Amino acid sequence: MTTSTIIAIDGPAASGKGTLSKRVAEALGFAHLDTGSLYRAVGVAVLRAGKDPADAHFAAQTARALHPEDGILNDPELRSDEAAEAASKVAVVPEVRAALLDFQRTFAASPPGGLPGAVLDGRDIGTVVCPDARVKLFVTASVEVRAERRLKELRDRGIPAISSDVLEDMKARDARDSQRAVAPLRPAGDAFVLDTSALTADQAFDAALAFIGSKTGLGPLSVLGR
């Protein structure tokens, strides 16, 4: 039985969960795993092989061959929209999810470096990967707010983007993630739903830490000894 404190943070695209998860992990001195990077890595590897991410057999084969030490997990291309789209497609394949599940659970139970806990963010951490996590958050925002955030991100990166296209892409992705037969995107029954639509990043961080503290008694000062 693990003694690691596991914090599960789920939510749709551009909800702010990635930034929040990293800040929480840093503040608490916990390990952090962006589980979406695993699916993005599979998607990118499939694309680089000249295959279709919707090819379930090849996607599963690729996922089984993926290792944590593979350089692709830190590849900047994983942050591209093409990688995100490919990840959303391979993520609906049951064999892909099964291949990546053990790695995620091992990371959560035994964080690297002997750290006392782990923060995992993704789409199904609280419902499937770590249903017994001590703390579960579901970070969300309206689809319009999330589309605006994504639009700003794209333009800041110098990528031309049209607001209406980004919004429609976001809606399509939400539908695919929430309606898939395997591990659909939804809050766990005991998750704290944090709507960031009207919150700054600092306000969301403060709200998350307050909830974590209420469940665990932990806070950044007590953990870091300052």
Side-chain angles (χ1 to χ4, degrees), residues 72 74-80:
I72 194 172
N74 298 312
D75 193 316
E77 191 178 335
L78 298 192
R79 309 326 304 170
S80 69

Side-chain angles (χ1 to χ4, degrees), residues 27-39:
L28 298 179
F30 284 9
H32 172 254
L33 177 63
D34 170 10
T35 64
S37 66
L38 300 176
Y39 292 95

